[in-house]
Amino acid sequence: MSAIEPTVRPPAAPRRPMRAHVYSRPPEPVYFPEAEEALETNRHLELRTALYLILKRELAHTATLGSDQFVYWDPRTSKKRLTPDAFVRLGVPHRTFRTWKTWLHGAPDLGVEIVSDSDEGEPDWDEKLERYRAAGIREIVRFHPEDRERPIHIWDALDGDLVERAPDDPDLRACETLGLWWTVVEDRSLGPMLRLARDREGHDLLPTPDEAEAQAREAEARARESEAKVREANEKLQAEVQALRAELAQAKGKRRTRRRSPG
């Protein structure tokens, strides 16, 4: 995979050559891991992958997206990191990367967490939320598939803090970052599934790749059916025109015959 290009910076001022000093120890570069072994349920994998693919299909031309990759926000240590189930950085078309370093690429604009049984070894939510605040991510969505009453919680960055939207907020499920709406759809195999829609009611869903493919096939079938109907109508019209021409020719022939008959 090709890594994202670092942010272009102005050239540094020329420095004088350093003397050959004697040091107490060699330098220790900070190592930023790309992954670590972690348990993940199959359901969680499918839920986050489905959301990532929906986002990528819709936004890849205007945003960079990640899923379950490390987001680092402090160049001095690898311990300050997050692994959102999905995240979006607007303004740069999608490309592959190994880890996301905010000092090079900026903080993601949106982060999504999907609660699962595999979170048992993770930090508690308050600590994780503090990490999101420190990383500078401005909209956080937490989806709990097992919470039937209130499965979606959202936090916004306000004055350096992350503040949760109130349950009675009429626009609670608005995704301000993307100009869309969060909704929950019941999937036959996965159960409650976090989705995005273009309307508040959640009717105009952003499709999954499979849904988009099925919609394309249906549109193609409708187009073929429409073409067949048009072709059938044209053939019928041509047949009617030919019949009228034949009748007209026959009528003209009869008139000529009557004129030639002796009066």
Side-chain angles (χ1 to χ4, degrees):
M1 291 189 296
S2 60
I4 289 183
E5 302 268 339
T7 303
V8 177
R9 299 179 178 178
R15 298 178 58 185
R16 292 184 302 174
M18 287 185 62
R19 297 180 177 85
H21 294 288
V22 177
Y23 294 97
S24 59
R25 63 171 179 81
E28 297 178 359
V30 179
Y31 170 63
F32 294 95
E34 297 175 6
E36 66 182 3
E37 187 176 351
L39 297 176
E40 181 178 25
T41 64
N42 186 58
R43 181 188 182 195
H44 184 264
L45 170 64
E46 295 202 29
L47 286 173
R48 73 170 176 82
T49 302
L51 178 61
Y52 170 76
L53 292 176
I54 290 170
L55 289 167
K56 184 178 178 183
R57 183 182 179 278
E58 184 72 14
L59 302 170
H61 58 295
T62 60
T64 301
L65 304 103
S67 176
D68 205 36
Q69 291 154 301
F70 287 140
V71 174
Y72 294 102
W73 67 88
D74 189 335
R76 298 166 298 179
T77 176
S78 63
K79 295 181 179 180
K80 295 181 178 181
R81 67 192 185 199
L82 285 160
T83 53
D85 291 308
F87 65 88
V88 178
R89 170 69 181 185
L90 298 174
V92 182
H94 182 72
R95 63 183 96 172
T96 57
F97 59 92
R98 297 181 182 274
T99 63
W100 188 270
K101 298 172 182 175
T102 63
W103 60 92
L104 295 179
H105 316 305
D109 298 288
L110 172 68
V112 181
E113 291 277 345
I114 300 174
V115 178
S116 77
D117 295 337
S118 60
D119 291 337
E120 291 181 358
E122 290 282 308
D124 63 32
W125 179 247
D126 288 339
E127 181 181 343
K128 189 174 287 189
L129 199 61
E130 173 57 27
R131 294 185 183 190
Y132 273 104
R133 187 202 63 76
I137 302 175
R138 61 190 182 94
E139 186 172 357
I140 315 301
V141 179
R142 186 173 188 251
F143 172 57
H144 197 322
E146 303 303 327
D147 187 346
R148 297 286 176 165
E149 293 184 5
R150 193 182 168 202
I152 297 176
H153 294 249
I154 299 179
W155 288 257
D156 294 310
L158 299 173
D159 297 328
D161 193 5
L162 279 176
V163 183
E164 184 178 2
R165 297 180 194 173
D168 59 351
D169 180 356
D171 296 329
L172 172 65
R173 294 190 175 188
C175 181
E176 300 294 348
T177 299
L178 306 179
L180 298 167
W181 295 85
W182 294 105
T183 189
V184 179
V185 175
E186 192 72 22
D187 183 84
R188 285 181 296 179
S189 60
L190 298 176
M193 184 177 180
L194 184 63
R195 299 285 297 268
L196 280 160
R198 296 182 178 87
D199 63 316
R200 183 192 296 267
E201 293 74 23
H203 300 314
D204 188 10
L205 293 171
L206 300 189
T208 66
D210 288 343
E211 290 170 348
E213 186 178 347
Q215 291 171 5
R217 287 197 300 268
E218 289 175 5
E220 187 178 350
R222 287 195 298 269
R224 286 198 300 267
E225 183 180 355
S226 178
E227 289 174 1
K229 288 180 178 179
V230 170
R231 190 163 52 249
E232 182 181 351
N234 286 337
E235 290 172 354
K236 184 178 180 180
L237 180 60
Q238 290 174 4
E240 290 175 354
V241 170
Q242 289 175 356
L244 289 172
R245 286 175 177 171
E247 289 178 9
L248 181 60
Q250 186 177 12
K252 288 180 178 179
K254 288 180 179 179
R255 284 199 297 271
R256 284 196 297 269
T257 302
R258 284 197 298 269
R259 287 173 188 161
R260 292 174 187 159
S261 300

